[in-house]
Structures are given as C-alpha cells and as structure tokens.
C-alpha cells in the first residue's frame, strides 16, 4: 500500500507577478521580440474594462429606451457614439495634425468607436490615405491610439471616465458642436441632425428610434426630408458620398475609391493600379455621365455630384451594377454570385458613415 502524504499547512508558493515581458516570445518556430510592454497591456485591459462597463451602465438606466429594451438601448448608444466619432474626426482641429495630448482625447464613447475602427487596420489605413480631406488628415493623426494616456483618464478602481479638463471638454464641444457628456439615455423622442442626400439641406428632426423600425439606429431607417420632401435611407447617403468622391476627383482633388488604393496581396499603397481600376469601374458610367472627364467650366462639385446621384437614382443596387458593367462588361451582374472585390467596393458605399466600414 502506498503511503499518503499528510496535507501541508503551508500556503502554496506563488511566483512574483511579472512586470516585464521576456526579451523573446516563441511564435511557431521563431523567437520574436514583443511589440508591446506590460504597461501598455495593462492600459489596454483598463480601456476594455471601461468599455464593458459602459454597456452595463447604458443597459441599467431607469429612463429612456433601455428600460423596455436593453439590447435596443445599447444599439442606439453605439449608433450615437459612431455619429459623435464622425463629428470629431471630420472637424477642423488645426492646420497641422495635432500631437495627441490630453486636450484632443474625446469622450469614452467616441474612444470606443475609435478602438473598434483600429481593429480593422487595413480599412483604417486605406481610409486615411486615399483622399486629401480633413477626415483623412485626422485619421492619420489618430492612427496610433495612446493607450497609456487614455488609461490615465479612466479611474482604475471604478473604470469610470475621470472628469475632463476644461480644455479637453471645450475642444470636443467647440469642434463637434456636440455636448461632451456621454449620452447614456436616449428617449424615443430624441432627434439629431442629418443632411438630406437629395437636396443637401440639414434635417433637424431625424429620430434614433421610430415606429416601424425606421429610426436611424434601426434596420429599416427611412426619413422624409423636411425641406425637399424626398424619403431617404442610409444607402442613399452612401451613393451620394460615392458621387461626391468621383466628382471631387473630376475637379482635380486627390481621390481614390474605397477598396482600390491598397494592393490586395501586400496591403501597400498602389496608386498606379488604383487609377487603372478606377478607370475600369467608371467606364460604363462615363458613357452617360462623363465621370472620367473634368467637370464643365462654370459648374461645381455639388451640382455635378447631384446630377450623377440622380442618374443613379440614389440607388445602391444601380450603383453596384454600374460598377460591375464597367469592370466586367461581358459578365451579367448576378446579385446571388457577386464578384468579391467588386462587392467590397460597392458595399463601402452602402451606408451613411464616412468610413469604408459600416461602424
């Protein structure tokens, strides 16, 4: 019979919590130097914890949409955060790209969207380089998230965002014309502003949630323009964005279409091939709308973009088919079997945001 050792009264021995990563990490057959340090890992974990708590706080509100539908409450919150992110990144910060000191760091809900965007590095990189716009310039300025700085703006115990400095709050509010305070509560009566893709006028009464799931944060969004009376959806806004990009290029601006600027195999910038792809994509449209020609003398980008958008009926499917006919004139478009790259290009213009991704 084997002898059973008596249980020890001594506590187990623990190794000291590491404060540094090893010089080399095994990845397959290779030894690779770490590209982050422990401080950055801890900062990232604090940010992720704060984002998780955001969701808990939103869904536990005793007022607004979340009281009757917790999931819808969170969906609306995320949509509002994306709206605020685009307002921040499309704003004019200053003549040169700012260094990201505390003043430029947005509220936590906007940081959440920024973080999600960076999780798609190829799309983020292309979006920041394919045009020369304020939005693209600002993306370049924020392409490296200062995790340690952001972590310092979050309470390490509660994971709540710390109160902002006056300068930080003022910068966000003055550049976006939005309140700094995070909108934890959204009521069914809450509205926001959105430009009509048909007449370009600003609508003041767009709802986040509406009957028939037609609110902006819902799957069947539709709004009747308060000025021109035309009904529009998110895809109509995306088609208008495509038309504006094409027309700005006609006017001499540096513009490359989404999903064309980077070489598929390497992810590196490939301007020459991007121009060649654009010429093919726009060939069918050029026969009717002269989209490969400079805009006529005496006209302007807004007028010419509107003509093109009307010609396409502000319709995403018509745009998709037009791109297909330009690139593959001998192959009939089949919505059930789309060509992958053509689908990626057209899908980039199927939603209302400035990013190629539907954030």
């Amino acid at each position: 019979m084997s002898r059973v050792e008596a249980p020890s009264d001594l506590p187990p021995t623990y190794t000291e919590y590491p404060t540094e990563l090893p010089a080399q990490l095994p990845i397959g057959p290779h030894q690779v130097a770490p590209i982050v340090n422990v401080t950055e890992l801890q900062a990232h974990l604090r940010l992720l914890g704060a984002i998780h708590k955001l969701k808990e706080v939103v869904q536990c509100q005793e007022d607004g949409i979340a009281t009757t539908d917790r999931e819808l409450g969170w969906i609306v919150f995320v949509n509002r955060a994306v709206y605020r992110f685009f307002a921040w990144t499309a704003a004019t910060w200053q003549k040169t790209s700012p260094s990201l000191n505390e003043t430029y760091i947005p509220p936590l809900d906007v940081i959440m969207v920024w973080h999600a965007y960076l999780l798609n590095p190829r799309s983020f990189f292309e979006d920041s380089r394919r045009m020369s716009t304020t939005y693209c310039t600002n993306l370049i300025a924020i392409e490296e998230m200062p995790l340690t700085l952001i972590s310092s703006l979050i309470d390490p115990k509660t994971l709540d965002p710390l109160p902002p400095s006056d300068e930080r709050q003022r910068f966000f509010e003055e550049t976006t014309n939005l309140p700094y305070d995070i909108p934890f509560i959204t009521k069914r009566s809450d509205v926001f502003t959105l430009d009509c893709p048909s007449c370009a006028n600003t609508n003041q009464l767009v709802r986040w949630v509406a009957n028939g799931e037609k609110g902006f944060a819902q799957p069947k969004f539709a709004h009747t323009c308060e000025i021109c009376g035309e009904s529009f959806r998110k895809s109509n806004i995306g088609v208008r964005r495509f038309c504006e990009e094409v027309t700005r290029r006609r006017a001499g601006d540096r513009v490359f279409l989404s999903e064309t600027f980077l070489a598929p195999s390497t992810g590196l910038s490939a301007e020459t091939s991007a121009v060649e792809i654009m010429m093919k994509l726009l060939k069918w449209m050029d026969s009717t709308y002269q989209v490969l020609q400079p805009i006529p003398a005496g006209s302007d980008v807004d007028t010419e973009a509107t003509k093109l958008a009307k010609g396409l009926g502000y319709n995403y499917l018509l745009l998709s088919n037009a791109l297909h006919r330009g690139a593959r004139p001998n192959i009939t478009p089949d919505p059930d079997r789309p060509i992958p790259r053509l689908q990626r290009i057209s899908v980039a213009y199927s939603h209302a945001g400035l990013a190629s991704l539907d954030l």
Side-chain angles (χ1 to χ4, degrees):
M1 180 181 293
S2 61
R3 199 169 94 185
V4 178
E5 295 288 342
S8 172
D9 292 331
L10 297 175
T13 302
Y14 294 98
T15 59
E16 185 178 355
Y17 185 81
T19 57
E20 293 184 2
L21 295 175
Q24 300 286 326
L25 295 171
I27 299 180
H30 307 287
Q31 294 292 321
V32 179
I35 58 175
V36 296
N37 56 45
V38 170
T39 299
E40 290 170 329
L41 291 173
Q42 292 171 330
H44 199 177
L45 289 172
R46 186 182 298 180
L47 172 60
L48 293 176
I51 292 172
H52 176 72
K53 186 171 183 180
L54 268 184
K55 184 174 184 178
E56 292 181 333
V57 172
V58 169
Q59 294 187 321
C60 290
Q61 295 298 319
E62 297 181 354
D63 193 8
I65 295 167
T67 58
T68 56
D69 192 330
R70 287 162 52 89
E71 286 306 311
L72 180 58
W74 175 246
I75 290 170
V76 172
F77 178 83
V78 171
N79 273 265
R80 295 190 70 169
V82 171
Y83 180 83
R84 283 156 60 84
F85 172 81
F86 285 136
W88 175 60
T89 48
T92 301
W93 293 354
Q94 59 183 43
K95 291 184 179 179
T96 58
S97 298
S99 58
L100 286 182
N101 57 41
E102 181 181 339
T103 299
Y104 296 102
I105 303 301
L108 184 58
D109 61 323
V110 177
I111 294 173
M112 174 184 69
V113 178
W114 177 11
H115 179 268
Y117 200 175
L118 285 172
L119 292 178
N120 300 273
R122 185 185 180 109
S123 295
F124 188 99
F125 180 76
E126 185 185 60
D127 285 349
S128 69
R129 263 73 176 181
R130 67 183 188 85
M131 294 188 292
S132 299
T133 63
T134 300
Y135 173 70
C136 294
T137 299
N138 288 343
L139 288 189
I140 293 173
I142 65 171
E143 64 185 358
E144 294 186 14
M145 177 173 275
L147 287 170
T148 304
L149 171 59
I150 290 172
S151 173
S152 71
L153 304 174
I154 299 170
D155 188 295
K157 294 183 179 179
T158 66
L159 297 179
D160 292 326
L162 296 172
S165 65
D166 291 342
E167 293 79 11
R168 183 182 173 201
Q169 180 170 341
R170 187 183 311 115
F171 172 79
F172 182 82
E173 293 183 343
E174 289 181 353
T175 55
T176 65
N177 291 316
L178 295 171
Y180 180 94
D181 291 343
I182 297 173
F184 288 109
I185 297 173
T186 299
K187 298 182 179 180
R188 291 184 177 271
S189 58
D190 286 351
V191 296
F192 69 103
T193 61
L194 189 65
D195 290 346
C196 170
S198 297
C199 69
N201 285 301
T202 301
N203 284 242
Q204 304 288 338
L205 302 174
V206 182
R207 291 183 181 271
W208 296 106
V209 175
N211 293 334
E213 296 189 323
K214 292 185 177 181
F216 191 80
Q218 296 173 292
K220 300 177 183 178
F221 169 69
H223 182 77
T224 300
C225 179
E226 301 146 26
I227 292 86
C228 71
E230 292 288 333
S231 178
F232 63 90
R233 301 177 182 274
K234 290 182 179 180
S235 60
N236 305 136
I237 299 173
V239 172
R240 172 71 191 205
R241 177 163 55 86
F242 168 87
C243 295
E244 289 179 352
E245 289 185 11
V246 169
T247 308
R248 286 207 304 272
R249 182 172 179 84
R250 294 177 61 195
D253 290 357
R254 179 182 175 278
V255 176
F256 297 93
L257 295 179
S258 288
E259 296 290 338
T260 67
F261 186 66
L262 303 182
S265 59
T266 65
L268 300 176
S269 302
E271 293 195 14
T272 301
S273 63
V275 172
E276 294 173 353
I277 295 169
M278 186 182 304
M279 294 299 178
K280 291 180 181 178
L281 290 168
L282 301 180
K283 189 174 181 180
W284 186 85
M285 274 184 271
D286 184 58
S287 62
T288 304
Y289 306 111
Q290 294 75 52
V291 294
L292 296 177
Q293 312 303 318
I295 62 174
S299 190
D300 56 62
V301 169
D302 184 66
T303 300
E304 294 301 313
T306 299
K307 287 181 183 178
L308 177 58
K310 286 182 177 179
L312 294 170
Y314 292 89
N315 188 299
Y316 164 69
L317 292 178
L318 290 180
L319 169 61
S320 180
N321 287 340
L323 294 173
H324 180 107
R325 288 170 178 158
R328 300 293 177 89
N330 299 322
I331 302 176
T332 302
D334 184 351
D336 295 324
R337 299 180 63 186
I339 297 172
R341 192 174 190 190
L342 289 177
Q343 184 182 33
R344 291 197 303 272
I345 294 169
S346 57
V347 165
Y349 298 99
S350 66
H351 55 85
L354 297 176
S356 58
L357 296 170
D358 187 2
L359 294 173

Tab-separated table of all heavy atoms in Angstrom, residues 3 13 35 49 74 90 113-114 130 144 157 178 184 195 200 229 232 254 259 262 269 284-285 301 317 337:
chain	number	residue	atom	x	y	z
A	3	ARG	N	2.068	5.092	0.596
A	3	ARG	CA	1.918	5.992	1.731
A	3	ARG	C	1.373	7.338	1.284
A	3	ARG	O	1.847	7.923	0.305
A	3	ARG	CB	3.272	6.179	2.410
A	3	ARG	CG	3.135	6.707	3.825
A	3	ARG	CD	4.453	6.607	4.517
A	3	ARG	NE	5.170	7.864	4.384
A	3	ARG	CZ	6.403	8.040	4.812
A	3	ARG	NH1	7.055	7.037	5.338
A	3	ARG	NH2	6.986	9.200	4.693
A	13	THR	N	3.094	28.248	-2.897
A	13	THR	CA	4.099	29.236	-3.289
A	13	THR	C	3.706	29.882	-4.614
A	13	THR	O	3.391	29.178	-5.574
A	13	THR	CB	5.481	28.578	-3.439
A	13	THR	OG1	5.826	27.973	-2.193
A	13	THR	CG2	6.537	29.609	-3.822
A	35	ILE	N	6.167	43.476	-29.167
A	35	ILE	CA	5.967	44.820	-29.715
A	35	ILE	C	5.188	45.707	-28.744
A	35	ILE	O	4.909	46.861	-29.046
A	35	ILE	CB	5.245	44.763	-31.068
A	35	ILE	CG1	3.882	44.063	-30.927
A	35	ILE	CG2	6.105	44.062	-32.108
A	35	ILE	CD1	3.066	44.074	-32.208
A	49	GLY	N	-12.083	47.178	-20.032
A	49	GLY	CA	-12.968	47.104	-18.876
A	49	GLY	C	-13.917	48.283	-18.806
A	49	GLY	O	-15.102	48.134	-18.480
A	74	TRP	N	-28.615	49.612	-26.093
A	74	TRP	CA	-27.183	49.566	-26.406
A	74	TRP	C	-26.937	49.861	-27.889
A	74	TRP	O	-26.003	50.577	-28.242
A	74	TRP	CB	-26.624	48.205	-26.031
A	74	TRP	CG	-25.180	48.019	-26.418
A	74	TRP	CD1	-24.676	47.147	-27.337
A	74	TRP	CD2	-24.046	48.743	-25.908
A	74	TRP	NE1	-23.311	47.265	-27.426
A	74	TRP	CE2	-22.898	48.247	-26.556
A	74	TRP	CE3	-23.903	49.746	-24.954
A	74	TRP	CZ2	-21.623	48.728	-26.303
A	74	TRP	CZ3	-22.615	50.232	-24.694
A	74	TRP	CH2	-21.502	49.725	-25.353
A	90	ALA	N	-14.232	64.516	-38.489
A	90	ALA	CA	-14.452	65.370	-39.664
A	90	ALA	C	-14.269	66.848	-39.342
A	90	ALA	O	-14.304	67.692	-40.237
A	90	ALA	CB	-15.858	65.135	-40.230
A	113	VAL	N	-15.484	53.730	-30.326
A	113	VAL	CA	-15.610	53.597	-31.779
A	113	VAL	C	-14.235	53.682	-32.429
A	113	VAL	O	-13.919	52.924	-33.360
A	113	VAL	CB	-16.551	54.684	-32.338
A	113	VAL	CG1	-16.658	54.580	-33.855
A	113	VAL	CG2	-17.925	54.579	-31.697
A	114	TRP	N	-13.413	54.589	-31.968
A	114	TRP	CA	-12.036	54.719	-32.457
A	114	TRP	C	-11.303	53.384	-32.310
A	114	TRP	O	-10.643	52.910	-33.242
A	114	TRP	CB	-11.368	55.831	-31.648
A	114	TRP	CG	-9.932	56.121	-31.898
A	114	TRP	CD1	-9.136	55.667	-32.912
A	114	TRP	CD2	-9.093	56.959	-31.086
A	114	TRP	NE1	-7.860	56.171	-32.784
A	114	TRP	CE2	-7.821	56.968	-31.670
A	114	TRP	CE3	-9.310	57.701	-29.923
A	114	TRP	CZ2	-6.748	57.695	-31.127
A	114	TRP	CZ3	-8.262	58.424	-29.387
A	114	TRP	CH2	-6.996	58.421	-29.992
A	130	ARG	N	-6.479	57.524	-48.854
A	130	ARG	CA	-6.986	57.520	-50.223
A	130	ARG	C	-7.551	58.872	-50.683
A	130	ARG	O	-7.861	59.039	-51.862
A	130	ARG	CB	-8.037	56.423	-50.395
A	130	ARG	CG	-9.324	56.643	-49.628
A	130	ARG	CD	-10.289	55.475	-49.807
A	130	ARG	NE	-11.588	55.767	-49.223
A	130	ARG	CZ	-12.552	56.412	-49.832
A	130	ARG	NH1	-12.386	56.848	-51.065
A	130	ARG	NH2	-13.709	56.635	-49.230
A	144	GLU	N	-2.354	55.845	-34.251
A	144	GLU	CA	-1.754	55.148	-33.111
A	144	GLU	C	-2.473	55.606	-31.849
A	144	GLU	O	-2.326	56.742	-31.419
A	144	GLU	CB	-0.258	55.444	-33.025
A	144	GLU	CG	0.549	54.880	-34.188
A	144	GLU	CD	2.039	55.066	-34.000
A	144	GLU	OE1	2.452	55.377	-32.865
A	144	GLU	OE2	2.781	54.905	-34.976
A	157	LYS	N	-10.114	51.958	-10.324
A	157	LYS	CA	-10.947	51.132	-9.442
A	157	LYS	C	-12.367	50.980	-9.977
A	157	LYS	O	-12.906	49.877	-10.045
A	157	LYS	CB	-10.962	51.737	-8.031
A	157	LYS	CG	-9.607	51.691	-7.332
A	157	LYS	CD	-9.710	52.239	-5.910
A	157	LYS	CE	-8.354	52.155	-5.206
A	157	LYS	NZ	-8.426	52.699	-3.823
A	178	LEU	N	-21.236	69.349	-30.352
A	178	LEU	CA	-21.978	68.355	-29.576
A	178	LEU	C	-21.553	68.448	-28.117
A	178	LEU	O	-20.422	68.838	-27.824
A	178	LEU	CB	-21.677	66.940	-30.095
A	178	LEU	CG	-22.123	66.610	-31.522
A	178	LEU	CD1	-21.551	65.258	-31.945
A	178	LEU	CD2	-23.637	66.609	-31.632
A	184	PHE	N	-25.882	58.567	-22.156
A	184	PHE	CA	-26.263	57.240	-21.667
A	184	PHE	C	-27.741	56.954	-21.922
A	184	PHE	O	-28.130	55.791	-22.115
A	184	PHE	CB	-25.975	57.134	-20.164
A	184	PHE	CG	-24.513	57.054	-19.834
A	184	PHE	CD1	-23.864	58.127	-19.234
A	184	PHE	CD2	-23.784	55.911	-20.115
A	184	PHE	CE1	-22.521	58.052	-18.917
A	184	PHE	CE2	-22.436	55.825	-19.808
A	184	PHE	CZ	-21.806	56.909	-19.207
A	195	ASP	N	-27.919	65.503	-42.963
A	195	ASP	CA	-28.102	66.127	-44.271
A	195	ASP	C	-28.842	65.198	-45.223
A	195	ASP	O	-28.545	64.002	-45.306
A	195	ASP	CB	-26.757	66.507	-44.891
A	195	ASP	CG	-26.084	67.658	-44.162
A	195	ASP	OD1	-26.759	68.324	-43.352
A	195	ASP	OD2	-24.878	67.876	-44.390
A	200	ALA	N	-29.258	68.186	-49.949
A	200	ALA	CA	-28.097	68.577	-49.134
A	200	ALA	C	-28.455	69.500	-47.976
A	200	ALA	O	-27.562	69.991	-47.285
A	200	ALA	CB	-27.012	69.219	-49.992
A	229	GLY	N	-38.860	67.027	-49.194
A	229	GLY	CA	-39.928	66.039	-49.172
A	229	GLY	C	-39.550	64.663	-49.675
A	229	GLY	O	-40.382	63.745	-49.678
A	232	PHE	N	-35.426	59.227	-47.742
A	232	PHE	CA	-34.086	58.679	-47.960
A	232	PHE	C	-33.709	57.668	-46.884
A	232	PHE	O	-34.240	57.682	-45.777
A	232	PHE	CB	-33.035	59.793	-48.047
A	232	PHE	CG	-32.866	60.627	-46.797
A	232	PHE	CD1	-31.960	60.259	-45.812
A	232	PHE	CD2	-33.587	61.802	-46.621
A	232	PHE	CE1	-31.776	61.036	-44.677
A	232	PHE	CE2	-33.424	62.582	-45.489
A	232	PHE	CZ	-32.518	62.200	-44.513
A	254	ARG	N	-7.335	64.900	-55.046
A	254	ARG	CA	-6.732	63.562	-54.942
A	254	ARG	C	-7.744	62.630	-54.280
A	254	ARG	O	-8.007	62.718	-53.077
A	254	ARG	CB	-5.440	63.624	-54.122
A	254	ARG	CG	-4.745	62.288	-53.938
A	254	ARG	CD	-3.500	62.442	-53.081
A	254	ARG	NE	-2.883	61.157	-52.801
A	254	ARG	CZ	-3.290	60.325	-51.836
A	254	ARG	NH1	-4.295	60.677	-51.047
A	254	ARG	NH2	-2.662	59.167	-51.652
A	259	GLU	N	-11.434	50.532	-51.275
A	259	GLU	CA	-11.047	49.176	-51.654
A	259	GLU	C	-10.261	49.113	-52.964
A	259	GLU	O	-10.194	48.062	-53.588
A	259	GLU	CB	-12.283	48.265	-51.745
A	259	GLU	CG	-13.001	48.060	-50.429
A	259	GLU	CD	-12.201	47.208	-49.444
A	259	GLU	OE1	-11.319	46.453	-49.891
A	259	GLU	OE2	-12.473	47.308	-48.245
A	262	LEU	N	-5.114	50.068	-51.933
A	262	LEU	CA	-4.096	49.142	-51.432
A	262	LEU	C	-4.060	47.883	-52.297
A	262	LEU	O	-5.095	47.365	-52.703
A	262	LEU	CB	-4.374	48.755	-49.982
A	262	LEU	CG	-4.469	49.900	-48.974
A	262	LEU	CD1	-4.711	49.338	-47.578
A	262	LEU	CD2	-3.218	50.761	-48.994
A	269	SER	N	0.321	50.746	-50.483
A	269	SER	CA	-0.274	51.716	-51.395
A	269	SER	C	0.111	51.376	-52.830
A	269	SER	O	1.264	51.049	-53.123
A	269	SER	CB	0.206	53.131	-51.046
A	269	SER	OG	-0.128	53.453	-49.714
A	284	TRP	N	-18.406	52.400	-67.705
A	284	TRP	CA	-19.804	52.349	-68.130
A	284	TRP	C	-20.511	53.651	-67.777
A	284	TRP	O	-21.259	54.202	-68.588
A	284	TRP	CB	-20.512	51.172	-67.468
A	284	TRP	CG	-21.911	50.977	-67.962
A	284	TRP	CD1	-22.305	50.279	-69.067
A	284	TRP	CD2	-23.106	51.510	-67.371
A	284	TRP	NE1	-23.666	50.345	-69.219
A	284	TRP	CE2	-24.181	51.092	-68.179
A	284	TRP	CE3	-23.369	52.292	-66.253
A	284	TRP	CZ2	-25.511	51.426	-67.897
A	284	TRP	CZ3	-24.677	52.632	-65.967
A	284	TRP	CH2	-25.727	52.200	-66.782
A	285	MET	N	-20.270	54.176	-66.583
A	285	MET	CA	-20.898	55.439	-66.179
A	285	MET	C	-20.410	56.602	-67.029
A	285	MET	O	-21.157	57.543	-67.301
A	285	MET	CB	-20.598	55.722	-64.697
A	285	MET	CG	-21.567	55.080	-63.731
A	285	MET	SD	-21.224	55.535	-62.011
A	285	MET	CE	-20.073	54.256	-61.574
A	301	VAL	N	-18.682	71.097	-57.802
A	301	VAL	CA	-18.727	69.711	-57.335
A	301	VAL	C	-20.128	69.328	-56.897
A	301	VAL	O	-20.634	68.251	-57.250
A	301	VAL	CB	-17.716	69.501	-56.188
A	301	VAL	CG1	-17.942	68.142	-55.514
A	301	VAL	CG2	-16.297	69.606	-56.706
A	317	LEU	N	-28.149	49.495	-55.537
A	317	LEU	CA	-28.103	48.391	-56.494
A	317	LEU	C	-27.739	48.878	-57.892
A	317	LEU	O	-26.983	48.224	-58.618
A	317	LEU	CB	-29.442	47.653	-56.517
A	317	LEU	CG	-29.794	46.875	-55.246
A	317	LEU	CD1	-31.165	46.218	-55.371
A	317	LEU	CD2	-28.729	45.829	-54.942
A	337	ARG	N	-24.368	35.869	-56.883
A	337	ARG	CA	-22.962	35.441	-57.018
A	337	ARG	C	-22.092	36.641	-57.373
A	337	ARG	O	-21.522	36.714	-58.460
A	337	ARG	CB	-22.851	34.357	-58.092
A	337	ARG	CG	-23.655	33.102	-57.796
A	337	ARG	CD	-23.501	32.082	-58.910
A	337	ARG	NE	-22.118	31.633	-59.044
A	337	ARG	CZ	-21.702	30.827	-60.024
A	337	ARG	NH1	-22.552	30.421	-60.949
A	337	ARG	NH2	-20.438	30.458	-60.072
